[in-house]
Amino acid sequence: MTTAQTAPTADVAVIGAGVVGSAVARALSAHRLDVVLLDARADVGDGTSKANTAILHTGFDATPGTLEARLVAEGYHLLKDYADRTGIPYEPTGALLVAWDDEQLAALPGLKEKAGKNGYTEAGIVGPDEVYRQVPSLGPGALGGLSVPGESIICTWTTTLALATEAVRRGVRLLRSHRVESVTPGPDATVLHTDRGDVRARWVVNAAGLGGDVLDAMFGYDRFHLHPRRGELLVYDKQARPLVDRIVLPVPSKLGKGVLISPTIYGNVMLGPTAEDMTDRTDTSTTEDGYAFLLGHGRRIMPSLLQEEVTATYAGLRAAGDVSDYTVEVDAAQRYAVAGGIRSTGLTAGMAVAEHLLNLLGEAGLKLRERTDLPDPPRMPNIGEAFPRPYTDAGRVAADPAYGSVVCFCERVTRGEIRDALASTIPPRDMDGLRRRTRAMNGRCQGFYCGANVTGMLERALRTADEEGER
Amino acid sequence: MSTTRTRLSPTVAIVGGGPAGLRTARELARAVPGRTLVLEREQEAGGVPRHCGHTGFGVRDLHRVLTGPVYARRMVRAAERAGAEIRTGAMVTGWSPDGGLEVTAPDGLFEVRADAVVLATGARERPRTARLIPGDRPDGVFTTGHLQNLVHLHHRRPGRRAVIVGSELVSWSAVLTLREAGCRTVLMTTERPRGEAYAMLPLAGRAGLRVPLRTRTRVTRIIGKGRVEAVQIEDVGSGRRWNVPCDTVVFTGDWIPDNELARSAGLALSPGTLGPAVDGALRTSRPGVFAAGNLLHPVDTADIAALDGAHVARTVLDHLAGRTRPGDGVPIVADAPLRWLSPATYRPGERGPARGRLLAWTDEYVPFPRVRVVQNGRTVAERRLPWPAAPGRVFRIPSGLLDAVRPGDGDVHVSLHC
C-alpha cells in the first residue's frame, strides 16, 4: 500500500466502495485519470450493498419520470450485459406480484400501466389459477397477480466485487479501512482527512451510501437526509428451493414493497425483508420482533416454507431519504459530485448512475480522455448455484486437484476456490469477506464441519499478508 | 467445462466414514465378493470421535473404554484390515440420473454404481441461525462440532468466558473441550426444568467442572460487534432478562441428520428425526439403499452407531444374496412426549432393530416411564421400564413390545406415561 501522505494528488477520489462507488471508479478509470477509491470499511461492498435483496430490477414499478426510473431501466441492461461478460451469476426467474385482497387486486391494472410508462411492456395480469400454476406452494387466498417475467435474481456480492476488481486492474488505487472524517476544500485540490491519513484529490465523488448526507454536509450542502431502514431476512435451506422458482412479491402499498419470498442465486429461499426506520447507522442486529413479523408473513404466503430449516439470518441497512428520487449532481466550483439517496434499486442502477455522473462531471470540466489500453474485464468466480461450479468440472479438477478438494461441504466450496479468493485482486480481510467471495461457511452447518478449516486458511493468508506488509 | 466421470463399480458403497460406516465396511469387506468402498468427505476417516478429546468410546461395540481419537483410529484400521477401501477427501455431491453416486475428489470426478448403498452420513447440531437467536453477528459463536474441530484438530483457542446453550450429553463434552482450551464456562443454560444429562455424569467430574447450570432459561439475544461481548438471558418463568458477559457462545445439541442425500434421493423420511425412515433391518424406502448410525437417531453414542453398522451389514448381505424384499411394514408413530422413534417402520415377523431396542427421544423427563403400544385403538403392549426417559439423550425401548403388532391393522402408536 502506498501511504496516503506521500501519494500524489489524485485526479478523482471516490468515497464509498459500494456498488455505486465501485461502478463510478470503474467508469472513471476508463479514462486517463488517476483515481483513488476509499471505503471506511475493511472490504468493498461491505455496507448497504452486501445485504441487498439481490434482485436485478426491470424498473417496472419505479415512479415514472424520475431519475431513478430512468437509471434503473438503463442499469438493468448495462448490468445484465456486464454480468454476461464477467460471469456475475444471475438467473432470469421472473417475478409474480400476488394480490391477497380486493384492494390489491384493484391496484393491478394501475401497476401494469405504470410499468408501461417505465418502458416495460411485458407485465401481464393473471388470474388466481395462473397464480397457483406459477407458484403451487403459495398459501390459500390469492386473488390474482401481475407477472413480471423480466425480473431476475443476481449475486449482489459478485457485482460490487467485479466492478471494484476491474477498477483496480485499470489502475484505481483502492484504500480500504479509510474513513473520511472531515474535508478541506482548496483551490486546486480537496484534502480528505481519513483515520488513516490524508488523501488529496482534485475532484471528489461522494458515493458514501448511508453516510452520503453527512459527507454532503461537509461540502456545505443540506439537500437530502438519510436514515437507515433496517431489513431483516431469513434464508431457508437449499432443500426449500423446489418450493419457489421465481420472485414472489406482494402488491406494493404505501408502506413499501412488503415481504417477498425469492429464490437466491445461491440456491436458497429468502423471506423478507422487514422495514424498520432506525437512527443508528451501524445497527445490523436481528430482532425477535423482526423474526416474528417475517414468520407471520411467511406462514400466510407459503406455509410449507416454514417447515424447512433456516440456514442464515441477516439484517441489512438501506439508505432511506427524505428526497423521493436519487440525488446525482455536480458542483463544478468545488469540483465535487454526489450520488446520494441511492436505495435498494442501486444494485441494478449502479452502472447507469456511473455513466450519468460521468457525463455530468465531463460537462462540469473534468477532462475525460478515453484510454485505449484497457485490460479485459475480469472473469469472476461463479458462486451461483445454477451454473457449473468447480466441484462438478472434471477438466478443472484434472488440471488442478485443489478444485476437487471440497472444504465447505454444505456449499461445496473447494480448496482451490478459497485459495484463489485469498490471492485475488481484492483479497478478503475477514471471514465475511471470504464468505462473500466463495460462499464458504454460508451453508446449513454454519461451520460445524468446515469452520476450523476455512478460518485456518484465511488466517494463514492474513498472516502472510501482514508479514509482507500488505495490510 | 467437462463433466465426464470415471465409473467405479464396487459391490457396496458406504457414504460416510464415521463409526457406523466403518463398522459396516468392516463387516462387509470380508463377506462380499468384490469391493467395499467407503466414501469420506473429510481428509481423515473416523467421524466425530476424531475430535472428541475425552474418553468413553467403544464400550458397547469394542468392550473397552477409549478416547475419541483412539477409537476413531481403531475403527479405521479394523475396516482397512478387513479389506475395505476407504477414500477420504471424497465427497458425494448427489445422485446421477440412473441412481449412482456422484463423487468429487482431488483425483477426479467419479460415478459410483454399487449393488448396495449404505448411507451413514451422521448428524450435526443446529447452529444459531437455525434456532433463530437474534442479535448481532459477531465472531465467537460456535456449535460443539465447530469448537471441537478448532481445539482438537487445529489446536486453536476459543475465548476466555463461554456460555453454553443446552445441557445434553454433548454440552458437557463442550465444557471439557473449553476447559482444555483454557476457556471458562460461565453459564450453561437450558429451557428445561432440569439439566438433561446432568445425572449421568460421574459425581467427581461434575464437582470438578463447576459449571453454573441455569434451568428454565434461554438465550434471547447475542450482543457484540466484532466479537461476542455478552448474551441476553431470559428466565422463562418470570420473563426477566439480563446480560451475561462472555466472549464465546456454544450452541450444543438440537440435532439434525445430514439428510441431504436421503432427501435428494426421494427416500421416505421419518418426520420426527428428518432422517430416512427405515425398518428394523435398516432398509430405506428405496430397494438397495440402506442407512445406519446417527442419520437415523440424532444422536446416540458412537458405539450404538457402530452396532447399527454391524446390523445393517447383515441386511445388505441378504440383499446381495437376492433374498427378496419383504412386504409392507407398519409405520411406528411417536406420540408426545416422544419426539421420534427409530426405526420408523415395523415388519411383523421380520428381523427387529439392533440390540432389540427401539431408540426414542423424549421432550419430557419421566423418571419411571410406562411405555404403551397402541394399534388401531387396541393396546398391544404396555410395560414399565426401570430406566428414566430424559431429554437430551436416547431413550431405549425393548422392541419385543411390538411382537403383538399385526400387519395391515394400521399405524402403531408408542407413548410414554408416568
Side-chain angles (χ1 to χ4, degrees):
Chain A
M1 193 189 81
T2 324
T3 60
Q5 284 83 352
T6 60
T9 300
D11 293 315
V12 189
V14 180
I15 301 170
V19 69
V20 173
S22 297
V24 170
R26 173 188 166 276
L28 286 166
S29 61
H31 303 84
R32 286 190 233 163
L33 292 169
D34 176 33
V35 181
V36 57
L37 175 62
L38 293 86
D39 200 281
R41 304 187 63 106
D43 199 5
V44 302
D46 195 43
T48 51
S49 297
K50 76 176 172 203
N52 192 281
T53 46
I55 296 172
L56 179 59
H57 291 293
T58 54
F60 78 96
D61 60 346
T63 307
T66 58
L67 180 63
E68 180 182 18
R70 193 188 105 204
L71 295 182
V72 171
E74 286 175 20
Y76 176 79
H77 297 288
L78 287 173
L79 180 54
K80 217 172 188 176
D81 177 56
Y82 190 62
D84 288 334
R85 284 187 287 137
T86 55
I88 297 166
Y90 72 95
E91 278 181 64
T93 55
L96 181 68
L97 274 76
V98 180
W100 295 96
D101 60 35
D102 290 331
E103 194 185 328
Q104 292 176 348
L105 192 64
L108 294 178
L111 278 169
K112 183 173 151 61
E113 197 185 326
K114 189 182 192 183
K117 283 186 188 154
N118 284 322
Y120 186 76
T121 53
E122 289 168 51
I125 294 174
V126 297
D129 291 351
E130 177 61 14
V131 167
Y132 285 102
R133 192 196 65 76
Q134 290 191 14
V135 189
S137 54
L138 271 190
L143 303 177
L146 184 74
S147 169
V148 191
E151 295 277 289
S152 302
I153 58 174
I154 189 165
C155 178
T156 181
W157 301 332
T158 309
T159 301
T160 306
L161 203 58
L163 294 164
T165 297
E166 183 161 32
V168 170
R169 290 197 188 165
R170 289 173 171 185
V172 170
R173 284 180 286 139
L174 172 65
L175 300 177
R176 290 184 276 177
S177 303
H178 281 64
R179 178 178 298 279
V180 175
E181 287 170 337
S182 61
V183 303
T184 309
D188 304 312
T190 298
V191 183
L192 306 173
H193 307 288
T194 82
D195 54 355
R196 302 266 294 260
D198 289 353
V199 175
R200 292 168 57 87
R202 272 179 273 283
W203 291 75
V204 174
V205 176
N206 170 3
L210 207 41
D213 56 345
V214 177
L215 191 63
D216 205 39
M218 292 181 198
F219 286 89
Y221 283 97
D222 183 26
R223 51 187 155 183
F224 62 96
H225 303 95
L226 302 177
H227 65 270
R229 183 168 292 161
R230 181 163 63 185
E232 298 183 44
L233 295 160
L234 300 180
V235 180
Y236 283 85
D237 191 272
K238 292 173 204 306
Q239 294 181 339
R241 185 61 177 77
L243 289 173
V244 55
D245 66 355
R246 70 198 66 207
I247 305 157
V248 178
L249 307 133
V251 173
S253 70
K254 284 182 283 295
L255 297 169
K257 289 184 177 175
V259 174
L260 60 89
I261 289 179
S262 168
T264 76
I265 201 75
Y266 320 110
N268 302 84
V269 174
M270 183 174 72
L271 170 66
T274 58
E276 185 188 357
D277 289 328
M278 314 270 293
T279 50
D280 183 349
R281 297 184 189 212
T282 63
D283 187 356
T284 53
S285 61
T286 55
T287 62
E288 281 174 288
D289 290 350
Y291 290 168
F293 175 84
L294 293 177
L295 294 175
H297 276 269
R299 201 164 287 125
R300 203 167 50 87
I301 309 169
M302 195 173 286
S304 47
L305 180 62
L306 271 66
Q307 305 302 311
E308 301 291 338
E309 297 281 318
V310 171
T311 293
T313 61
Y314 291 103
L317 298 175
R318 45 208 198 270
D322 52 358
V323 175
S324 63
D325 200 355
Y326 294 173
T327 301
V328 184
E329 287 168 15
V330 177
D331 170 348
Q334 290 198 78
R335 298 174 317 283
Y336 164 68
V338 64
I342 315 279
R343 340 158 226 264
S344 171
T345 50
L347 169 61
T348 304
M351 295 183 78
V353 171
E355 287 201 352
H356 177 59
L357 189 59
L358 239 62
N359 286 335
L360 297 182
L361 283 166
E363 288 163 14
L366 177 68
K367 285 204 170 49
L368 295 170
R369 290 171 298 164
E370 280 191 29
R371 285 169 56 183
T372 52
D373 57 344
L374 290 177
D376 288 337
R379 261 329 272 189
M380 301 305 291
N382 166 59
I383 58 171
E385 186 75 358
F387 311 89
R389 301 217 0 246
Y391 80 90
T392 59
D393 190 333
R396 278 186 90 170
V397 174
D400 183 349
Y403 294 118
S405 176
V406 180
V407 175
C408 166
F409 304 133
C410 304
E411 296 296 316
R412 284 98 185 263
V413 183
T414 62
R415 185 168 298 280
E417 291 164 276
I418 294 174
R419 175 203 62 200
D420 295 351
L422 293 172
S424 63
T425 304
I426 305 175
R429 286 179 171 168
D430 53 24
M431 195 51 232
D432 281 339
L434 185 59
R435 286 172 188 262
R436 288 196 292 274
R437 285 161 179 80
T438 62
R439 283 167 52 176
M441 272 180 78
N442 272 359
R444 56 174 74 94
C445 94
Q446 293 281 304
F448 182 97
Y449 295 111
C450 71
N453 251 331
V454 174
T455 51
M457 288 181 75
L458 173 70
E459 276 158 19
R460 276 191 299 279
L462 293 182
R463 248 196 326 270
T464 311
D466 260 346
E467 283 156 13
E468 291 170 5
E470 285 175 2
R471 289 169 79 204
Chain B
M1 156 103 190
S2 70
T3 52
T4 320
R5 290 175 184 270
T6 308
R7 172 79 69 94
L8 297 179
S9 305
T11 307
V12 183
I14 297 161
V15 186
L22 290 172
R23 180 65 190 265
T24 309
R26 175 184 133 190
E27 299 295 324
L28 288 176
R30 51 191 169 205
V32 301
R35 292 154 65 201
T36 298
L37 175 63
V38 179
L39 298 159
E40 168 55 52
R41 60 189 185 179
E42 305 239 24
Q43 294 307 310
E44 251 184 86
V48 168
R50 279 179 317 128
H51 47 77
C52 292
H54 53 84
T55 186
F57 289 85
V59 178
R60 296 185 188 85
D61 59 335
L62 303 180
H63 307 293
R64 53 190 72 218
V65 185
L66 306 167
T67 68
V70 171
Y71 176 77
R73 279 198 294 276
R74 251 178 220 236
M75 296 297 282
V76 172
R77 270 209 309 273
E80 280 173 345
R81 268 205 301 268
E85 178 187 349
I86 303 175
R87 271 183 188 250
T88 56
M91 176 160 174
V92 180
T93 58
W95 303 84
S96 67
D98 46 357
L101 295 165
E102 293 180 335
V103 180
T104 294
D107 52 341
L109 301 191
F110 298 92
E111 185 191 351
V112 176
R113 299 290 305 276
D115 301 326
V117 172
V118 179
L119 300 177
T121 51
R124 60 182 173 80
E125 297 163 293
R126 282 193 176 83
R128 171 207 177 168
T129 49
R131 304 186 201 206
L132 289 179
I133 309 293
D136 299 319
R137 296 177 60 219
D139 291 338
V141 179
F142 307 103
T143 52
T144 314
H146 188 176
L147 174 77
Q148 289 177 336
N149 250 305
L150 275 179
V151 173
H152 295 305
L153 297 185
H154 292 258
H155 310 291
R156 299 271 313 290
R157 300 182 60 148
R160 304 209 146 270
R161 291 171 55 87
V163 168
I164 292 189
V165 183
S167 64
E168 301 187 13
L169 268 180
V170 65
S171 319
W172 293 94
S173 183
V175 171
L176 291 171
T177 301
L178 288 169
R179 191 175 63 163
E180 193 181 312
C183 180
R184 196 155 65 89
T185 300
V186 294
L187 176 71
M188 178 183 271
T189 157
T190 175
E191 283 191 60
R192 301 196 181 284
R194 47 181 292 149
E196 285 96 324
Y198 200 54
M200 293 191 56
L201 286 182
L203 205 62
R206 213 192 303 170
L209 291 174
R210 280 182 212 287
V211 172
L213 171 68
R214 284 202 72 138
T215 57
R216 309 267 300 145
T217 53
R218 64 189 187 112
V219 173
T220 45
R221 186 173 182 84
I222 289 180
I223 301 158
K225 280 287 187 261
R227 175 83 194 192
V228 177
E229 288 156 23
V231 290
Q232 185 186 62
I233 304 289
E234 181 190 79
D235 181 304
V236 180
S238 67
R240 190 175 74 85
R241 292 181 175 192
W242 68 99
N243 288 353
V244 177
C246 61
D247 57 14
T248 301
V249 189
V250 187
F251 286 90
T252 67
D254 194 359
W255 301 92
I256 178 164
D258 242 314
N259 62 4
E260 197 181 3
L261 283 175
R263 208 169 157 183
S264 61
L267 303 183
L269 298 188
S270 159
T273 62
L274 299 178
V278 293
D279 61 15
L282 304 182
R283 303 177 187 96
T284 71
S285 59
R286 189 201 271 191
V289 179
F290 307 85
N294 282 331
L295 170 67
L296 303 175
H297 36 74
V299 299
D300 209 336
T301 51
D303 52 359
I304 294 295
L307 290 175
D308 264 3
H311 194 71
V312 78
R314 277 183 55 196
T315 311
V316 171
L317 288 175
D318 284 350
H319 168 77
L320 294 174
R323 286 189 276 273
T324 49
R325 190 179 152 71
D328 287 345
V330 181
I332 307 174
V333 180
D335 281 353
L338 294 182
R339 190 187 296 180
W340 54 254
L341 279 156
S342 179
T345 305
Y346 176 70
R347 295 189 201 278
E350 265 228 54
R351 207 167 146 229
R355 302 175 74 232
R357 298 279 194 279
L358 292 171
L359 306 182
W361 200 263
T362 179
D363 284 323
E364 274 171 35
Y365 182 79
V366 186
F368 306 103
R370 213 150 33 85
V371 176
R372 188 181 295 158
V373 179
V374 176
Q375 186 184 30
N376 199 7
R378 178 176 66 99
T379 299
V380 171
E382 186 159 359
R383 192 191 301 172
R384 189 176 292 284
L385 297 179
W387 52 81
R393 59 190 159 101
V394 167
F395 173 61
R396 303 171 203 291
I397 301 171
S399 57
L401 282 169
L402 300 179
D403 284 351
V405 165
R406 291 197 292 241
D409 201 18
D411 298 358
V412 181
H413 288 258
V414 180
S415 54
L416 276 191
H417 304 270
C418 289

